[in-house]
Amino acid sequence: MVQSKKAWFAVAALAAAATLTLAGCGGGSSDAGSSESAAPAGSYTSQDCASDATSATTLKVGTILPQTGTLAFLGPPEIAGVGLAVSDIVEAGDSACTFWTDSGDSTDMAVSSASADKLIDAKVSVAIGAASSSVSLNVVDKLAAAPIVQISPANTSAELSGKSPFYFRTAPPDTVQGSALGQLIVGDGHQNVAFLVFQRRVRHGSP
């Protein structure tokens, strides 16, 4: 029964995470007893995976979302979206739990590399994240080799297009967004345009 609901849940979790990315939610977390990973601060509701939970009987949703680094401000709403989706699945009577890890950002790829290893060792059913395209480029091949389906609610790098049959995202690539924005600007008759850009050092790909 768990296996038959994996695809449906992955879509539901990402839709919730993407919807809440800019909303920001707070709230307490429920006590799930012994767990492999504790829910990070700012989660909507935690359904932490128990130490004996397996993907054979439980939908184990792994996250690789920013809890530290320059993108940590994006973490709480994304984490909340996943927490809400898992909570809804559990309330519906299905077995699901969340295994939380930190993606960090592109300034220290060792964080995301270690988290990807944790997700693989935990044999999660799906990995939600990363927020940064650079981070996803760092871990996408490793997760695909496991294989673990990875779904990002925020990646926009064109380099990730067709990168892996196990990789999905809900945000369009920069090439699509840029073209749409350019057409909108021209269509509205604007001739003088300014952009505010958040610049940071990246090691691989685009942010």
Side-chain angles (χ1 to χ4, degrees):
M1 180 180 70
V2 172
Q3 295 292 332
S4 66
K5 293 182 180 291
K6 281 187 178 181
W8 173 83
F9 174 78
V11 173
L14 258 295
T19 299
L20 292 174
T21 296
L22 298 178
C25 292
S29 61
S30 62
D31 184 6
S34 176
S35 63
E36 295 178 80
S37 62
S43 62
Y44 177 84
T45 298
S46 67
Q47 296 286 349
D48 300 341
C49 289
S51 58
D52 59 349
T54 68
S55 56
T57 58
T58 303
L59 186 59
K60 296 183 68 173
V61 181
T63 67
I64 183 163
L65 295 169
Q67 300 176 32
T68 61
T70 59
L71 295 180
F73 71 97
L74 294 175
E78 294 177 330
I79 290 167
V82 176
L84 174 60
V86 174
S87 180
D88 285 347
I89 295 299
V90 172
E91 289 179 5
D94 293 314
S95 180
C97 66
T98 314
F99 187 92
W100 311 93
T101 71
D102 181 17
S103 68
D105 61 27
S106 59
T107 63
D108 185 2
M109 291 298 192
V111 175
S112 57
S113 295
S115 291
D117 289 337
K118 292 177 182 177
L119 294 173
I120 293 169
D121 290 342
K123 295 181 172 59
V124 297
S125 308
V126 61
I128 307 301
S132 164
S133 293
S134 300
V135 172
S136 282
L137 285 166
N138 182 52
V139 301
V140 62
D141 291 334
K142 180 182 291 189
L143 292 174
I148 294 173
V149 171
Q150 176 186 356
I151 311 177
S152 169
N155 290 167
T156 60
S157 171
E159 190 174 349
L160 283 163
S161 298
K163 182 71 173 176
S164 164
F166 294 97
Y167 171 83
F168 303 88
R169 57 181 167 187
T170 61
D174 293 322
T175 49
V176 174
Q177 294 189 76
S179 175
L181 181 59
Q183 293 179 45
L184 178 63
I185 292 172
V186 172
D188 287 345
H190 299 294
Q191 296 182 351
N192 297 315
V193 181
F195 293 92
L196 284 175
V197 180
F198 177 56
Q199 183 175 353
R200 64 183 182 280
R201 179 169 59 92
V202 297
R203 295 183 181 180
H204 185 187
S206 63

